[in-house]
Amino acid sequence: MHSRFHAAFASLAADLQSALAPVLADEHFPALLTAEQVAMLKNATRLDEDALAFALLPLAAACARTPVSHFNVGAIARGVSGTWYFGGNMEFIGATMQQTVHAEQSAISHAWLRGEKSLASVTVNYTPCGHCRQFMNELNSGLSLRINLPGRDPHTLADYLPDAFGPKDLEIKTLLMDEENHGFAVTGDALTQAAITAANQSHAPYSQAPAGLALECRDGTVFSGRYAENAAFNPSLPPLQGALNLLSLNGYDYPDIQRAVLAEKADATLTQWDATAATLKALGCQNIDRVLLA
């Protein structure tokens, strides 16, 4: 079991500990539970899905990386496939506050990058901030997304974001988590191909500036992130944050990164390059390449 889970695991009920121990045994536990694993945990604990998600929140919060605030937020995104995806907030020493990933963004982008097609609900241990409510409004589940908070009845995103402004106000038809393919030719070495594939699947309907990033670890494992744009612009999630989030959730650390490749359009109205390079260098990665898409 990864050391980050030790304290949270010890706080769980005995029956949940017993059922979870084999699942968490892998040092690189992928911070998700399959539908079959969820069913197993429900059977072992006699908890319903909502109660089980609340019981698991300490593990999600243990995935957070908070060297600035020291305030861990955990979230669990439940996919329509039945898979549950953990998420935790992420902060980066030496980078700007704008590079921060919120827990809801972490869990949602985790699901998206794993190929989930839509979300049924998000369970979180603290009330979503306005930034996250706006981020969630970009999803194809829209305002019907269910939000579960401890000590409160479930409510929809519409309840937490009344009189919402979002993609439909701008006549955007393809929403976050819908299938996308921008059609760029996938060429180059394996890491470059992973970055271009991520760019092809990114969500950038406002700027028309798709971008993808791939990180290669020292053991050869590759993690990719895609740009997730938002109608309100500021809650947009850069591709680097998506890749770093996935890397961290899988139990890797920043020193494990040996190379990064960013793929973006040559004539884009905005660029991810400067912020990507600055953040990666702050994290100790100097081997950063860029491929321009046409």
Side-chain angles (χ1 to χ4, degrees):
M1 183 188 302
H2 195 286
S3 59
R4 64 184 173 179
F5 292 125
H6 289 174
F9 182 80
S11 73
L12 303 179
D15 55 358
L16 185 53
Q17 283 190 34
S18 178
L20 266 175
V23 178
L24 295 177
D26 185 353
E27 185 77 8
H28 293 300
F29 164 65
L32 62 80
L33 297 169
T34 65
E36 293 76 19
Q37 289 171 328
V38 170
M40 179 271 293
L41 294 175
K42 287 171 59 182
N43 184 62
T45 61
R46 303 300 175 186
L47 297 173
D48 64 24
E49 288 203 353
D50 286 349
L52 178 60
F54 286 130
L56 292 170
L57 275 179
L59 295 177
C63 294
R65 304 187 65 151
T66 57
V68 179
S69 69
H70 307 291
F71 185 77
N72 287 22
V73 182
I76 298 174
R78 293 190 239 172
V80 295
S81 68
T83 300
W84 292 13
Y85 306 88
F86 290 11
N89 52 321
M90 298 182 68
E91 301 159 0
F92 306 100
I93 290 289
T96 65
M97 283 289 194
Q98 287 85 352
Q99 305 308 309
T100 300
V101 180
H102 295 223
E104 295 90 333
Q105 290 179 307
S106 170
I108 289 166
S109 65
H110 185 193
W112 183 42
L113 291 170
R114 295 286 190 190
E116 187 65 54
K117 300 302 182 186
S118 190
L119 297 180
S121 69
V122 174
T123 301
V124 61
N125 58 349
Y126 294 101
T127 303
C129 69
H131 183 98
C132 289
R133 299 179 197 197
Q134 183 65 44
F135 182 82
M136 290 187 280
N137 194 33
E138 197 73 23
L139 290 165
N140 57 14
S141 43
L143 294 170
S144 65
L145 180 69
R146 195 162 62 113
I147 309 296
N148 295 321
L149 294 168
R152 303 186 190 182
D153 291 332
H155 292 286
T156 66
L157 180 59
D159 295 316
Y160 285 101
L161 193 65
D163 200 17
F165 174 83
K168 293 180 181 178
D169 295 290
L170 299 174
E171 300 184 356
I172 299 300
K173 307 301 183 186
T174 303
L175 305 175
L176 185 61
M177 296 191 82
D178 285 343
E179 186 173 346
E180 301 205 43
N181 184 354
H182 297 291
F184 298 109
V186 179
T187 59
D189 64 14
L191 194 64
T192 301
Q193 290 184 33
I196 297 172
T197 298
N200 276 332
Q201 297 170 336
S202 63
H203 176 71
Y206 310 105
S207 67
Q208 300 298 315
L213 182 128
L215 302 172
E216 183 179 23
C217 295
R218 299 187 189 283
D219 67 0
T221 304
V222 172
F223 296 102
S224 300
R226 315 167 192 150
Y227 183 34
E229 208 161 59
N230 190 273
F233 286 20
N234 285 351
S236 300
L237 189 70
L240 173 62
Q241 275 63 16
L244 288 172
N245 180 59
L246 199 56
L247 176 145
S248 183
L249 289 170
N250 278 264
Y252 287 81
D253 203 353
Y254 308 138
D256 294 317
I257 303 170
Q258 69 171 0
R259 184 179 168 223
V261 175
L262 172 70
E264 62 181 351
K265 288 175 65 176
D267 60 348
T269 55
L270 56 84
T271 177
Q272 303 289 336
W273 174 247
D274 291 336
T276 295
T279 302
L280 280 171
K281 288 176 181 177
L283 298 178
C285 177
Q286 304 295 325
N287 189 0
I288 311 165
D289 296 319
R290 182 189 191 196
V291 58
L292 296 177
L293 307 172

